[in-house]
Amino acid sequence: MQAVTVGSPKGVHAAFDALEMHWAVVWKGRFIDAMTTWEERAMTPAKPLGTLGPVLPPRMPLARLKSASDGWPEAVGEAAGYHYSGYRLDKDGTPIFLYEVGGLKVEDSMSSAPKGDGLLRKIKITGASDAVAEGWYYLGLGKAAQPESVSLTKGMVEFEEYIKF
């Protein structure tokens, strides 16, 4: 895992796995203890210091399926055809992770929900044409999430998901 941790002044945090391109863990309270990553040669992973939130499934947000009832692929990262493009910061400093799959460009961010009682995930998907998105589905992180068709309007579609804890 090559985690990028995203902290919030409201005390809700998340870690994005840049190697496999998915959200790995969410928590609230204190941020992280990164001391071992600086002091130990083996680079022991940093540990969240707060209370862990819901377990996030290690799955990709987009998959090409024949129908919404097909099983969601288990492959992640490059094995699933994804290519990481880094990240950029939005106007308030929140990282927006960038990756591509099947001609679609994805912007994926997670920030503190307005009340500070969870996280708000935003995904923006763009493509060169609406035809590029044919057969693609989006699946959120929640246990009750259901695949949704990716239908581009003027080359773009956005999804939001609230993760409360």
Side-chain angles (χ1 to χ4, degrees):
M1 179 157 112
Q2 294 179 356
V4 179
T5 53
V6 180
S8 161
K10 292 185 178 179
V12 287
H13 319 290
F16 184 82
D17 184 335
L19 182 63
E20 294 187 346
M21 291 164 271
H22 65 84
W23 291 99
V25 64
V26 294
W27 70 100
K28 63 181 173 181
R30 294 176 58 208
F31 192 49
I32 60 169
D33 176 7
M35 188 63 73
T36 59
T37 64
W38 300 320
E39 290 183 341
E40 295 182 23
R41 186 176 181 143
M43 297 286 284
T44 305
K47 293 186 171 96
L49 294 175
T51 303
L52 292 176
V55 174
L56 303 180
R59 68 172 171 237
M60 305 313 293
L62 300 174
R64 183 168 250 152
L65 306 172
K66 290 182 182 178
S67 75
S69 61
D70 287 356
W72 202 259
E74 293 183 20
V76 295
E78 289 184 0
Y82 282 68
H83 302 285
Y84 184 63
S85 303
Y87 68 91
R88 66 178 172 78
L89 301 177
D90 73 4
K91 63 183 178 211
D92 69 356
T94 300
I96 299 171
F97 296 94
L98 311 169
Y99 45 92
E100 299 178 31
V101 62
L104 299 172
K105 293 184 179 185
V106 181
E107 297 181 10
D108 192 343
S109 68
M110 205 174 293
S111 59
S112 176
K115 294 182 181 179
D117 60 348
L119 291 159
L120 182 62
R121 181 186 193 192
K122 294 182 181 182
I123 291 206
K124 178 180 177 182
I125 303 164
T126 57
S129 71
D130 294 351
V132 171
E134 287 180 23
W136 284 95
Y137 290 83
Y138 164 78
L139 182 60
L141 296 169
K143 290 182 182 185
Q146 296 293 317
E148 299 177 57
S149 180
V150 174
S151 298
L152 302 179
T153 302
K154 296 184 181 179
M156 194 248 327
V157 66
E158 294 180 307
F159 295 96
E160 284 190 4
E161 180 177 19
Y162 177 56
I163 300 168
K164 185 176 181 177
F165 58 99

